Amino acid sequence: MASNSEAARIPDERLSIEQRRDGAILVRVRSEGSEASRLPDAVFSFRCGDPQYSYWLARLKAAAQAG
């Protein structure tokens, strides 16, 4: 059985993760669905000290190493 973090993981093809020059991490989640019914993309930012910052920094580094 998958853990909660694995079950809730957003597929990599829907994510865009970047780090700004000030160190903040921007995470963009592309919406799914047909063009007519698609919602705008969700965009989140995390700064050092935010509870999820280290998680997204690790995903950013993993993506950089992978490709």
Side-chain angles (χ1 to χ4, degrees):
M1 177 177 232
S3 70
N4 285 343
S5 63
E6 290 172 358
R9 186 178 172 116
I10 300 166
D12 290 340
E13 63 271 7
R14 291 188 50 213
L15 285 177
S16 170
I17 307 170
E18 63 182 82
Q19 189 167 23
R20 296 189 323 203
R21 289 168 48 194
D22 66 358
I25 296 178
L26 295 178
V27 179
R28 180 180 308 273
V29 183
R30 286 183 287 287
S31 295
E32 291 184 315
S34 67
E35 188 77 29
S37 65
R38 187 176 310 153
L39 295 171
D41 294 347
V43 181
F44 305 92
S45 64
F46 302 95
R47 296 184 185 278
C48 188
D50 288 342
Q52 293 186 22
Y53 181 84
S54 61
Y55 171 80
W56 289 109
L57 181 60
R59 287 211 46 190
L60 176 66
K61 289 180 180 180
Q65 290 177 350

CSV table of all heavy atoms in Angstrom, one decimal:
chain,number,residue,atom,x,y,z
A,1,MET,N,0.8,-1.2,0.0
A,1,MET,CA,0.0,0.0,0.0
A,1,MET,C,0.9,1.2,0.0
A,1,MET,O,1.9,1.3,0.7
A,1,MET,CB,-0.9,0.0,1.2
A,1,MET,CG,-1.8,1.2,1.3
A,1,MET,SD,-2.9,1.0,2.8
A,1,MET,CE,-4.4,1.4,1.9
A,2,ALA,N,0.5,2.2,-0.8
A,2,ALA,CA,1.3,3.5,-0.9
A,2,ALA,C,1.1,4.3,0.3
A,2,ALA,O,0.0,4.4,0.9
A,2,ALA,CB,0.9,4.2,-2.2
A,3,SER,N,2.1,5.0,0.7
A,3,SER,CA,2.0,6.0,1.9
A,3,SER,C,1.2,7.2,1.4
A,3,SER,O,1.0,7.4,0.2
A,3,SER,CB,3.3,6.4,2.4
A,3,SER,OG,4.0,7.2,1.4
A,4,ASN,N,0.7,8.0,2.4
A,4,ASN,CA,-0.1,9.2,2.0
A,4,ASN,C,0.7,10.1,1.1
A,4,ASN,O,0.2,10.7,0.2
A,4,ASN,CB,-0.5,9.9,3.3
A,4,ASN,CG,-1.6,9.2,4.0
A,4,ASN,OD1,-2.3,8.3,3.4
A,4,ASN,ND2,-1.9,9.5,5.2
A,5,SER,N,2.0,10.3,1.4
A,5,SER,CA,2.8,11.2,0.6
A,5,SER,C,3.0,10.7,-0.9
A,5,SER,O,3.0,11.5,-1.8
A,5,SER,CB,4.2,11.4,1.2
A,5,SER,OG,4.9,10.2,1.2
A,6,GLU,N,3.1,9.4,-1.0
A,6,GLU,CA,3.2,8.8,-2.4
A,6,GLU,C,1.8,8.9,-3.1
A,6,GLU,O,1.8,9.2,-4.3
A,6,GLU,CB,3.6,7.3,-2.3
A,6,GLU,CG,5.0,7.2,-1.9
A,6,GLU,CD,5.4,5.7,-1.7
A,6,GLU,OE1,4.5,4.9,-1.8
A,6,GLU,OE2,6.6,5.5,-1.4
A,7,ALA,N,0.7,8.7,-2.4
A,7,ALA,CA,-0.6,8.7,-3.0
A,7,ALA,C,-0.9,10.2,-3.5
A,7,ALA,O,-1.6,10.4,-4.4
A,7,ALA,CB,-1.6,8.2,-2.1
A,8,ALA,N,-0.5,11.1,-2.7
A,8,ALA,CA,-0.8,12.5,-3.0
A,8,ALA,C,0.2,13.2,-3.9
A,8,ALA,O,0.0,14.4,-4.2
A,8,ALA,CB,-0.9,13.3,-1.6
A,9,ARG,N,1.3,12.5,-4.3
A,9,ARG,CA,2.3,13.1,-5.1
A,9,ARG,C,1.8,13.6,-6.4
A,9,ARG,O,1.0,12.9,-7.1
A,9,ARG,CB,3.4,12.1,-5.3
A,9,ARG,CG,4.6,12.7,-6.0
A,9,ARG,CD,5.7,11.7,-6.1
A,9,ARG,NE,6.7,12.2,-7.0
A,9,ARG,CZ,8.0,12.4,-6.6
A,9,ARG,NH1,8.3,12.2,-5.4
A,9,ARG,NH2,8.9,12.9,-7.4
A,10,ILE,N,2.1,14.8,-6.8
A,10,ILE,CA,1.7,15.4,-8.1
A,10,ILE,C,2.6,14.8,-9.2
A,10,ILE,O,3.8,14.9,-9.0
A,10,ILE,CB,1.7,16.9,-8.0
A,10,ILE,CG1,0.8,17.4,-6.9
A,10,ILE,CG2,1.4,17.5,-9.3
A,10,ILE,CD1,1.1,18.9,-6.5
A,11,PRO,N,2.0,14.4,-10.3
A,11,PRO,CA,2.8,13.8,-11.3
A,11,PRO,C,3.8,14.9,-11.9
A,11,PRO,O,3.5,16.1,-12.0
A,11,PRO,CB,1.8,13.4,-12.4
A,11,PRO,CG,0.5,13.3,-11.7
A,11,PRO,CD,0.6,14.3,-10.5
A,12,ASP,N,5.0,14.4,-12.1
A,12,ASP,CA,6.1,15.4,-12.6
A,12,ASP,C,5.7,16.1,-13.9
A,12,ASP,O,6.1,17.3,-14.0
A,12,ASP,CB,7.4,14.6,-12.8
A,12,ASP,CG,8.0,14.1,-11.5
A,12,ASP,OD1,7.7,14.7,-10.4
A,12,ASP,OD2,8.9,13.2,-11.6
A,13,GLU,N,5.0,15.5,-14.8
A,13,GLU,CA,4.6,16.1,-16.0
A,13,GLU,C,3.7,17.3,-15.8
A,13,GLU,O,3.5,18.1,-16.7
A,13,GLU,CB,4.0,15.2,-17.0
A,13,GLU,CG,2.7,14.5,-16.6
A,13,GLU,CD,2.9,13.2,-15.8
A,13,GLU,OE1,4.1,12.9,-15.5
A,13,GLU,OE2,1.9,12.6,-15.5
A,14,ARG,N,3.1,17.4,-14.7
A,14,ARG,CA,2.2,18.6,-14.4
A,14,ARG,C,2.9,19.7,-13.6
A,14,ARG,O,2.3,20.7,-13.3
A,14,ARG,CB,0.9,18.1,-13.6
A,14,ARG,CG,0.0,17.2,-14.5
A,14,ARG,CD,-1.3,16.9,-13.9
A,14,ARG,NE,-1.9,18.1,-13.4
A,14,ARG,CZ,-2.7,18.1,-12.3
A,14,ARG,NH1,-2.9,16.9,-11.6
A,14,ARG,NH2,-3.3,19.1,-11.9
A,15,LEU,N,4.1,19.5,-13.2
A,15,LEU,CA,4.8,20.4,-12.4
A,15,LEU,C,5.9,21.2,-13.1
A,15,LEU,O,6.6,20.7,-14.0
A,15,LEU,CB,5.6,19.7,-11.2
A,15,LEU,CG,4.7,19.1,-10.1
A,15,LEU,CD1,5.6,18.4,-9.1
A,15,LEU,CD2,4.0,20.3,-9.4
A,16,SER,N,6.1,22.4,-12.7
A,16,SER,CA,7.2,23.2,-13.1
A,16,SER,C,7.8,23.8,-11.8
A,16,SER,O,7.0,24.5,-11.0
A,16,SER,CB,6.7,24.3,-14.0
A,16,SER,OG,7.8,25.3,-14.2
A,17,ILE,N,9.0,23.5,-11.5
A,17,ILE,CA,9.6,24.0,-10.2
A,17,ILE,C,10.9,24.8,-10.6
A,17,ILE,O,11.7,24.4,-11.4
A,17,ILE,CB,10.1,22.8,-9.3
A,17,ILE,CG1,8.9,21.9,-9.1
A,17,ILE,CG2,10.6,23.4,-8.0
A,17,ILE,CD1,9.3,20.6,-8.4
A,18,GLU,N,11.0,26.0,-10.0
A,18,GLU,CA,12.1,26.9,-10.3
A,18,GLU,C,12.5,27.6,-9.0
A,18,GLU,O,11.7,27.8,-8.1
A,18,GLU,CB,11.9,27.9,-11.4
A,18,GLU,CG,10.8,28.9,-11.1
A,18,GLU,CD,10.5,29.8,-12.3
A,18,GLU,OE1,9.7,29.4,-13.2
A,18,GLU,OE2,11.0,30.9,-12.3
A,19,GLN,N,13.8,28.0,-8.9
A,19,GLN,CA,14.2,28.8,-7.8
A,19,GLN,C,14.6,30.2,-8.3
A,19,GLN,O,15.4,30.3,-9.2
A,19,GLN,CB,15.4,28.1,-7.1
A,19,GLN,CG,15.8,28.7,-5.8
A,19,GLN,CD,16.8,27.9,-5.0
A,19,GLN,OE1,17.5,27.1,-5.6
A,19,GLN,NE2,16.8,28.1,-3.7
A,20,ARG,N,14.0,31.2,-7.6
A,20,ARG,CA,14.3,32.6,-8.0
A,20,ARG,C,15.7,33.0,-7.4
A,20,ARG,O,16.2,32.3,-6.6
A,20,ARG,CB,13.2,33.5,-7.4
A,20,ARG,CG,11.9,33.3,-8.0
A,20,ARG,CD,10.9,34.3,-7.6
A,20,ARG,NE,11.0,34.8,-6.3
A,20,ARG,CZ,10.0,35.3,-5.6
A,20,ARG,NH1,8.8,35.5,-6.1
A,20,ARG,NH2,10.2,35.8,-4.4
A,21,ARG,N,16.2,34.1,-7.8
A,21,ARG,CA,17.5,34.6,-7.4
A,21,ARG,C,17.5,34.9,-5.9
A,21,ARG,O,18.5,34.8,-5.3
A,21,ARG,CB,17.9,35.8,-8.2
A,21,ARG,CG,18.2,35.4,-9.6
A,21,ARG,CD,18.4,36.5,-10.6
A,21,ARG,NE,19.2,37.6,-10.2
A,21,ARG,CZ,19.2,38.7,-10.9
A,21,ARG,NH1,18.5,38.9,-12.0
A,21,ARG,NH2,20.0,39.7,-10.5
A,22,ASP,N,16.3,35.2,-5.3
A,22,ASP,CA,16.3,35.5,-3.9
A,22,ASP,C,16.1,34.2,-3.0
A,22,ASP,O,16.0,34.3,-1.8
A,22,ASP,CB,15.1,36.4,-3.6
A,22,ASP,CG,13.7,35.9,-3.8
A,22,ASP,OD1,13.6,34.7,-4.3
A,22,ASP,OD2,12.8,36.6,-3.5
A,23,GLY,N,16.2,33.0,-3.7
A,23,GLY,CA,16.1,31.7,-3.0
A,23,GLY,C,14.7,31.1,-2.9
A,23,GLY,O,14.6,30.0,-2.6
A,24,ALA,N,13.7,31.9,-3.1
A,24,ALA,CA,12.3,31.4,-3.1
A,24,ALA,C,12.1,30.4,-4.2
A,24,ALA,O,12.7,30.5,-5.3
A,24,ALA,CB,11.3,32.5,-3.2
A,25,ILE,N,11.3,29.4,-3.9
A,25,ILE,CA,11.0,28.3,-4.9
A,25,ILE,C,9.6,28.5,-5.3
A,25,ILE,O,8.6,28.7,-4.5
A,25,ILE,CB,11.2,26.9,-4.2
A,25,ILE,CG1,12.6,26.7,-3.9
A,25,ILE,CG2,10.7,25.8,-5.2
A,25,ILE,CD1,12.9,25.4,-3.2
A,26,LEU,N,9.4,28.5,-6.7
A,26,LEU,CA,8.1,28.7,-7.3
A,26,LEU,C,7.7,27.3,-7.8
A,26,LEU,O,8.5,26.7,-8.5
A,26,LEU,CB,8.1,29.7,-8.4
A,26,LEU,CG,8.4,31.1,-8.0
A,26,LEU,CD1,8.4,32.0,-9.3
A,26,LEU,CD2,7.4,31.7,-7.1
A,27,VAL,N,6.5,26.9,-7.5
A,27,VAL,CA,5.9,25.6,-8.0
A,27,VAL,C,4.7,26.0,-8.8
A,27,VAL,O,3.7,26.5,-8.2
A,27,VAL,CB,5.6,24.7,-6.8
A,27,VAL,CG1,5.0,23.4,-7.3
A,27,VAL,CG2,6.9,24.4,-6.0
A,28,ARG,N,4.6,25.6,-10.0
A,28,ARG,CA,3.4,25.7,-10.9
A,28,ARG,C,2.9,24.4,-11.1
A,28,ARG,O,3.6,23.5,-11.6
A,28,ARG,CB,3.8,26.4,-12.2
A,28,ARG,CG,2.6,26.6,-13.1
A,28,ARG,CD,3.0,27.4,-14.4
A,28,ARG,NE,3.8,28.6,-14.1
A,28,ARG,CZ,3.2,29.8,-13.9
A,28,ARG,NH1,1.9,29.9,-14.0
A,28,ARG,NH2,4.0,30.8,-13.7
A,29,VAL,N,1.6,24.2,-10.9
A,29,VAL,CA,0.9,23.0,-11.1
A,29,VAL,C,-0.1,23.2,-12.3
A,29,VAL,O,-1.0,24.0,-12.2
A,29,VAL,CB,0.1,22.5,-9.9
A,29,VAL,CG1,-0.6,21.1,-10.2
A,29,VAL,CG2,1.0,22.3,-8.7
A,30,ARG,N,0.1,22.6,-13.4
A,30,ARG,CA,-0.7,22.7,-14.6
A,30,ARG,C,-2.0,22.0,-14.4
A,30,ARG,O,-2.1,20.9,-13.9
A,30,ARG,CB,0.0,22.2,-15.8
A,30,ARG,CG,1.1,23.2,-16.3
A,30,ARG,CD,1.7,22.7,-17.6
A,30,ARG,NE,2.6,21.5,-17.4
A,30,ARG,CZ,3.8,21.6,-16.8
A,30,ARG,NH1,4.2,22.7,-16.3
A,30,ARG,NH2,4.5,20.5,-16.7
A,31,SER,N,-3.1,22.7,-14.8
A,31,SER,CA,-4.5,22.1,-14.6
A,31,SER,C,-4.7,21.0,-15.7
A,31,SER,O,-4.0,21.0,-16.7
A,31,SER,CB,-5.5,23.2,-14.8
A,31,SER,OG,-5.4,24.1,-13.7
A,32,GLU,N,-5.6,20.1,-15.4
A,32,GLU,CA,-6.0,19.1,-16.4
A,32,GLU,C,-7.3,19.4,-17.0
A,32,GLU,O,-8.0,20.3,-16.5
A,32,GLU,CB,-6.1,17.7,-15.7
A,32,GLU,CG,-4.7,17.2,-15.2
A,32,GLU,CD,-4.9,15.8,-14.6
A,32,GLU,OE1,-5.8,15.6,-13.8
A,32,GLU,OE2,-4.1,14.9,-14.9
A,33,GLY,N,-7.7,18.7,-18.0
A,33,GLY,CA,-9.0,18.9,-18.6
A,33,GLY,C,-8.9,19.5,-20.0
A,33,GLY,O,-7.9,19.8,-20.5
A,34,SER,N,-10.1,19.5,-20.6
A,34,SER,CA,-10.2,20.1,-21.9
A,34,SER,C,-10.0,21.6,-21.8
A,34,SER,O,-10.1,22.2,-20.8
A,34,SER,CB,-11.6,19.8,-22.5
A,34,SER,OG,-12.6,20.5,-21.8
A,35,GLU,N,-9.6,22.2,-23.0
A,35,GLU,CA,-9.3,23.6,-23.0
A,35,GLU,C,-10.4,24.5,-22.5
A,35,GLU,O,-10.2,25.4,-21.8
A,35,GLU,CB,-9.0,24.0,-24.5
A,35,GLU,CG,-8.5,25.4,-24.7
A,35,GLU,CD,-7.0,25.5,-24.3
A,35,GLU,OE1,-6.3,24.6,-24.4
A,35,GLU,OE2,-6.6,26.6,-23.9
A,36,ALA,N,-11.7,24.1,-22.8
A,36,ALA,CA,-12.8,24.9,-22.5
A,36,ALA,C,-13.1,24.9,-21.0
A,36,ALA,O,-13.6,25.8,-20.4
A,36,ALA,CB,-14.1,24.4,-23.2
A,37,SER,N,-12.8,23.7,-20.3
A,37,SER,CA,-13.1,23.6,-18.9
A,37,SER,C,-11.9,23.7,-18.0
A,37,SER,O,-12.1,23.5,-16.8
A,37,SER,CB,-13.9,22.3,-18.6
A,37,SER,OG,-13.0,21.2,-18.9
A,38,ARG,N,-10.8,23.9,-18.5
A,38,ARG,CA,-9.5,23.9,-17.7
A,38,ARG,C,-9.4,25.2,-16.8
A,38,ARG,O,-9.7,26.3,-17.2
A,38,ARG,CB,-8.3,23.9,-18.6
A,38,ARG,CG,-7.0,23.7,-17.8
A,38,ARG,CD,-5.8,23.5,-18.7
A,38,ARG,NE,-6.1,22.5,-19.7
A,38,ARG,CZ,-5.5,22.5,-20.9
A,38,ARG,NH1,-4.6,23.5,-21.2
A,38,ARG,NH2,-5.7,21.6,-21.8
A,39,LEU,N,-9.1,24.9,-15.6
A,39,LEU,CA,-8.9,26.0,-14.6
A,39,LEU,C,-7.5,26.6,-14.8
A,39,LEU,O,-6.6,26.0,-15.4
A,39,LEU,CB,-9.0,25.5,-13.2
A,39,LEU,CG,-10.4,25.0,-12.8
A,39,LEU,CD1,-10.3,24.3,-11.4
A,39,LEU,CD2,-11.4,26.1,-12.7
A,40,PRO,N,-7.2,27.8,-14.3
A,40,PRO,CA,-5.9,28.4,-14.4
A,40,PRO,C,-4.9,27.5,-13.6
A,40,PRO,O,-5.3,26.8,-12.7
A,40,PRO,CB,-6.0,29.8,-13.7
A,40,PRO,CG,-7.5,30.1,-13.7
A,40,PRO,CD,-8.2,28.7,-13.7
A,41,ASP,N,-3.6,27.6,-14.0
A,41,ASP,CA,-2.6,26.9,-13.3
A,41,ASP,C,-2.5,27.4,-11.8
A,41,ASP,O,-2.8,28.6,-11.6
A,41,ASP,CB,-1.2,27.1,-13.9
A,41,ASP,CG,-1.2,26.4,-15.3
A,41,ASP,OD1,-2.1,25.6,-15.6
A,41,ASP,OD2,-0.2,26.7,-16.0
A,42,ALA,N,-2.2,26.5,-10.9
A,42,ALA,CA,-2.0,27.0,-9.5
A,42,ALA,C,-0.5,27.3,-9.4
A,42,ALA,O,0.4,26.5,-9.9
A,42,ALA,CB,-2.4,25.8,-8.6
A,43,VAL,N,-0.1,28.4,-8.7
A,43,VAL,CA,1.2,28.7,-8.5
A,43,VAL,C,1.5,29.0,-7.0
A,43,VAL,O,0.7,29.7,-6.4
A,43,VAL,CB,1.6,30.0,-9.3
A,43,VAL,CG1,3.1,30.4,-9.0
A,43,VAL,CG2,1.3,29.8,-10.7
A,44,PHE,N,2.5,28.3,-6.4
A,44,PHE,CA,2.8,28.4,-5.0
A,44,PHE,C,4.2,28.9,-4.9
A,44,PHE,O,5.1,28.6,-5.7
A,44,PHE,CB,2.7,27.1,-4.3
A,44,PHE,CG,1.3,26.5,-4.5
A,44,PHE,CD1,1.1,25.6,-5.6
A,44,PHE,CD2,0.3,26.8,-3.6
A,44,PHE,CE1,-0.2,25.0,-5.7
A,44,PHE,CE2,-1.0,26.2,-3.8
A,44,PHE,CZ,-1.2,25.3,-4.9
A,45,SER,N,4.5,29.6,-3.8
A,45,SER,CA,5.9,30.0,-3.6
A,45,SER,C,6.3,29.6,-2.1
A,45,SER,O,5.4,29.7,-1.2
A,45,SER,CB,6.1,31.5,-3.8
A,45,SER,OG,5.4,32.3,-2.9
A,46,PHE,N,7.5,29.2,-2.0
A,46,PHE,CA,8.0,28.8,-0.6
A,46,PHE,C,9.3,29.4,-0.4
A,46,PHE,O,10.2,29.5,-1.3
A,46,PHE,CB,8.1,27.2,-0.6
A,46,PHE,CG,6.9,26.5,-0.9
A,46,PHE,CD1,6.6,26.1,-2.2
A,46,PHE,CD2,5.9,26.3,0.1
A,46,PHE,CE1,5.4,25.4,-2.5
A,46,PHE,CE2,4.7,25.6,-0.2
A,46,PHE,CZ,4.5,25.2,-1.5
A,47,ARG,N,9.5,29.9,0.8
A,47,ARG,CA,10.8,30.5,1.2
A,47,ARG,C,11.4,29.6,2.3
A,47,ARG,O,10.7,28.9,3.0
A,47,ARG,CB,10.5,31.9,1.8
A,47,ARG,CG,10.0,32.9,0.7
A,47,ARG,CD,9.9,34.3,1.3
A,47,ARG,NE,9.3,35.2,0.4
A,47,ARG,CZ,9.9,35.8,-0.6
A,47,ARG,NH1,11.2,35.6,-0.7
A,47,ARG,NH2,9.3,36.6,-1.4
A,48,CYS,N,12.7,29.8,2.4
A,48,CYS,CA,13.4,29.1,3.5
A,48,CYS,C,12.8,29.3,4.8
A,48,CYS,O,12.5,30.5,5.2
A,48,CYS,CB,14.9,29.5,3.5
A,48,CYS,SG,15.9,28.5,4.6
A,49,GLY,N,12.4,28.3,5.6
A,49,GLY,CA,11.7,28.4,6.8
A,49,GLY,C,10.3,28.0,6.7
A,49,GLY,O,9.7,27.6,7.7
A,50,ASP,N,9.7,28.0,5.5
A,50,ASP,CA,8.4,27.5,5.3
A,50,ASP,C,8.4,25.9,5.5
A,50,ASP,O,9.4,25.3,5.1
A,50,ASP,CB,7.9,27.8,3.9
A,50,ASP,CG,7.5,29.2,3.6
A,50,ASP,OD1,7.4,29.9,4.6
A,50,ASP,OD2,7.5,29.6,2.5
A,51,PRO,N,7.3,25.4,6.0
A,51,PRO,CA,7.3,23.9,6.3
A,51,PRO,C,7.6,23.0,5.1
A,51,PRO,O,8.2,22.0,5.2
A,51,PRO,CB,5.9,23.7,6.8
A,51,PRO,CG,5.5,25.0,7.4
A,51,PRO,CD,6.1,26.0,6.5
A,52,GLN,N,7.2,23.4,3.9
A,52,GLN,CA,7.4,22.6,2.7
A,52,GLN,C,8.6,23.0,1.8
A,52,GLN,O,8.8,22.4,0.8
A,52,GLN,CB,6.1,22.7,1.8
A,52,GLN,CG,4.9,22.0,2.5
A,52,GLN,CD,3.7,22.0,1.5
A,52,GLN,OE1,3.9,22.0,0.3
A,52,GLN,NE2,2.5,21.9,2.1
A,53,TYR,N,9.3,24.0,2.3
A,53,TYR,CA,10.5,24.4,1.5
A,53,TYR,C,11.5,23.3,1.2
A,53,TYR,O,11.9,23.1,0.0
A,53,TYR,CB,11.2,25.6,2.2
A,53,TYR,CG,12.3,26.1,1.4
A,53,TYR,CD1,12.2,27.1,0.5
A,53,TYR,CD2,13.6,25.7,1.7
A,53,TYR,CE1,13.2,27.6,-0.2
A,53,TYR,CE2,14.7,26.2,1.0
A,53,TYR,CZ,14.5,27.2,0.0
A,53,TYR,OH,15.6,27.7,-0.7
A,54,SER,N,11.9,22.6,2.2
A,54,SER,CA,12.9,21.5,2.0
A,54,SER,C,12.4,20.4,1.0
A,54,SER,O,13.1,19.9,0.2
A,54,SER,CB,13.3,20.9,3.3
A,54,SER,OG,12.3,20.3,4.0
A,55,TYR,N,11.1,20.1,1.1
A,55,TYR,CA,10.5,19.1,0.2
A,55,TYR,C,10.6,19.6,-1.3
A,55,TYR,O,11.1,18.8,-2.1
A,55,TYR,CB,9.0,18.9,0.5
A,55,TYR,CG,8.3,18.0,-0.5
A,55,TYR,CD1,8.5,16.6,-0.5
A,55,TYR,CD2,7.5,18.6,-1.5
A,55,TYR,CE1,7.8,15.8,-1.4
A,55,TYR,CE2,6.9,17.8,-2.4
A,55,TYR,CZ,7.0,16.4,-2.4
A,55,TYR,OH,6.4,15.7,-3.4
A,56,TRP,N,10.2,20.8,-1.6
A,56,TRP,CA,10.3,21.3,-2.9
A,56,TRP,C,11.7,21.5,-3.4
A,56,TRP,O,12.0,21.3,-4.6
A,56,TRP,CB,9.4,22.5,-3.1
A,56,TRP,CG,8.0,22.2,-3.0
A,56,TRP,CD1,7.1,22.5,-2.0
A,56,TRP,CD2,7.2,21.4,-3.9
A,56,TRP,NE1,5.9,21.9,-2.2
A,56,TRP,CE2,5.9,21.3,-3.4
A,56,TRP,CE3,7.5,20.8,-5.2
A,56,TRP,CZ2,4.9,20.6,-4.1
A,56,TRP,CZ3,6.5,20.1,-5.8
A,56,TRP,CH2,5.2,20.0,-5.3
A,57,LEU,N,12.6,21.9,-2.5
A,57,LEU,CA,14.0,22.1,-2.9
A,57,LEU,C,14.6,20.7,-3.3
A,57,LEU,O,15.3,20.6,-4.3
A,57,LEU,CB,14.8,22.7,-1.7
A,57,LEU,CG,16.3,22.9,-2.0
A,57,LEU,CD1,16.5,23.9,-3.2
A,57,LEU,CD2,16.9,23.5,-0.7
A,58,ALA,N,14.2,19.7,-2.5
A,58,ALA,CA,14.7,18.3,-2.9
A,58,ALA,C,14.2,17.9,-4.2
A,58,ALA,O,14.9,17.3,-5.0
A,58,ALA,CB,14.3,17.3,-1.8
A,59,ARG,N,12.9,18.2,-4.5
A,59,ARG,CA,12.3,17.8,-5.8
A,59,ARG,C,13.0,18.6,-7.0
A,59,ARG,O,13.2,18.1,-8.0
A,59,ARG,CB,10.8,18.0,-5.8
A,59,ARG,CG,10.1,17.0,-5.0
A,59,ARG,CD,8.8,16.5,-5.4
A,59,ARG,NE,8.5,16.2,-6.7
A,59,ARG,CZ,7.2,16.0,-7.1
A,59,ARG,NH1,6.2,16.1,-6.3
A,59,ARG,NH2,6.9,15.7,-8.4
A,60,LEU,N,13.3,19.9,-6.7
A,60,LEU,CA,14.0,20.7,-7.7
A,60,LEU,C,15.4,20.1,-8.0
A,60,LEU,O,15.8,19.9,-9.2
A,60,LEU,CB,14.1,22.1,-7.2
A,60,LEU,CG,14.9,23.1,-8.1
A,60,LEU,CD1,14.2,23.3,-9.4
A,60,LEU,CD2,15.1,24.4,-7.4
A,61,LYS,N,16.1,19.7,-7.0
A,61,LYS,CA,17.5,19.2,-7.2
A,61,LYS,C,17.4,17.8,-7.8
A,61,LYS,O,18.2,17.5,-8.7
A,61,LYS,CB,18.2,19.1,-5.8
A,61,LYS,CG,18.6,20.4,-5.2
A,61,LYS,CD,19.3,20.3,-3.9
A,61,LYS,CE,19.7,21.6,-3.4
A,61,LYS,NZ,20.4,21.5,-2.1
A,62,ALA,N,16.4,17.0,-7.5
A,62,ALA,CA,16.3,15.7,-8.1
A,62,ALA,C,15.9,15.8,-9.6
A,62,ALA,O,16.5,15.1,-10.5
A,62,ALA,CB,15.2,14.9,-7.4
A,63,ALA,N,15.1,16.8,-9.9
A,63,ALA,CA,14.8,17.0,-11.3
A,63,ALA,C,16.0,17.5,-12.1
A,63,ALA,O,16.2,17.2,-13.3
A,63,ALA,CB,13.6,18.1,-11.5
A,64,ALA,N,16.8,18.4,-11.5
A,64,ALA,CA,18.0,18.9,-12.1
A,64,ALA,C,19.0,17.8,-12.4
A,64,ALA,O,19.7,17.7,-13.5
A,64,ALA,CB,18.7,20.0,-11.3
A,65,GLN,N,19.1,16.8,-11.5
A,65,GLN,CA,20.0,15.7,-11.7
A,65,GLN,C,19.5,14.7,-12.7
A,65,GLN,O,20.3,14.1,-13.4
A,65,GLN,CB,20.2,14.9,-10.3
A,65,GLN,CG,21.0,15.7,-9.3
A,65,GLN,CD,21.1,15.0,-8.0
A,65,GLN,OE1,20.4,14.0,-7.8
A,65,GLN,NE2,21.9,15.5,-7.1
A,66,ALA,N,18.2,14.6,-12.8
A,66,ALA,CA,17.6,13.6,-13.8
A,66,ALA,C,17.7,14.1,-15.2
A,66,ALA,O,17.7,13.3,-16.1
A,66,ALA,CB,16.2,13.3,-13.4
A,67,GLY,N,17.8,15.4,-15.4
A,67,GLY,CA,17.7,15.8,-16.8
A,67,GLY,C,18.2,17.1,-17.0
A,67,GLY,O,18.2,17.7,-18.0
